Amino acid sequence: MAGYRALAAVGRSVVDLLNRRFLDEIPAGPRPEAVLAGPVDFDKVDTPGAVIRHPAVSVYCYRLSIDRETRPSWAAMAAQDGMARLPLRMHLLIAAWDRFVEAELEWLGLAALALESEGPLTGPLLHPSGDWGAGDAVQIVPDDLAMDSMSEAFQAMTTDYRLCLPYLARVIRIDGRPGRTADEVTVVASGTSGTGR
């Protein structure tokens, strides 16, 4: 059962996975650091206190959507046990940051290799802050994002367009509190019987 922290926990899980794989591939020498970033961070690269510092790979969640494939089954289950379950998808843009375009392309290739080489995130691969259940799993798969949609995502920000890899994290199920069953109600009828005059 994942709690309300599940979305942030998935972001942390992807960052942790990338950093582990970067270390495996490049045990010594310069390698990027994966970070969870927002649009404000894109304008502050390499400034004091910046989240993104060269070399880096940023993981940016630009959109959340309902997982329509699993929503009906979870809604049916909620109707039976009274516990709401919301299945979500996180739409991610993976970008590389370096002073040289060749290095950025290498870091993007390294990120793609890391994400494609991993199966679903389960157990210890899921950041513990998500309050995960024993059977919870999140798939990280390529997202089918049209060029127009990618451009629109950047038009909403003040930063210039960057080459990105679109990925999708699915299905992140946020569970509500267990529903309460109605208490049994006992109806006591009282009446008076009398004789009419």
Side-chain angles (χ1 to χ4, degrees), residues 136-160:
D136 285 337
V138 177
Q139 287 183 307
I140 310 297
V141 296
D143 196 1
D144 187 16
L145 188 63
M147 186 63 188
D148 290 347
S149 299
M150 182 91 77
S151 297
E152 285 171 12
F154 275 92
Q155 284 173 9
M157 300 184 283
T158 57
T159 191
D160 292 332

Side-chain angles (χ1 to χ4, degrees), residues 65-154:
S65 64
I66 304 293
D67 185 77
R68 301 198 182 282
E69 293 173 14
T70 60
R71 174 77 167 159
S73 59
W74 291 122
M77 191 176 289
Q80 293 197 356
D81 65 11
M83 187 169 83
R85 295 168 180 89
L86 181 63
L88 295 171
R89 293 176 171 215
M90 286 178 73
H91 300 260
L92 308 172
L93 292 178
I94 313 293
W97 305 81
D98 206 300
R99 291 180 177 83
F100 306 102
V101 68
E102 294 91 345
E104 289 185 345
L105 291 171
E106 285 184 6
W107 305 146
L108 280 175
L110 187 57
L113 175 66
L115 294 172
E116 292 298 316
S117 300
E118 195 65 49
L121 301 180
T122 59
L125 294 178
L126 287 169
H127 196 276
S129 61
D131 299 325
W132 306 103
D136 285 337
V138 177
Q139 287 183 307
I140 310 297
V141 296
D143 196 1
D144 187 16
L145 188 63
M147 186 63 188
D148 290 347
S149 299
M150 182 91 77
S151 297
E152 285 171 12
F154 275 92

Side-chain angles (χ1 to χ4, degrees), residues 38-73:
V40 130
D41 299 311
F42 296 165
D43 295 326
K44 299 178 179 177
V45 176
D46 266 350
T47 61
V51 170
I52 302 172
R53 303 187 68 80
H54 294 136
V57 168
S58 62
V59 177
Y60 167 50
C61 177
Y62 72 95
R63 182 177 171 229
L64 294 170
S65 64
I66 304 293
D67 185 77
R68 301 198 182 282
E69 293 173 14
T70 60
R71 174 77 167 159
S73 59

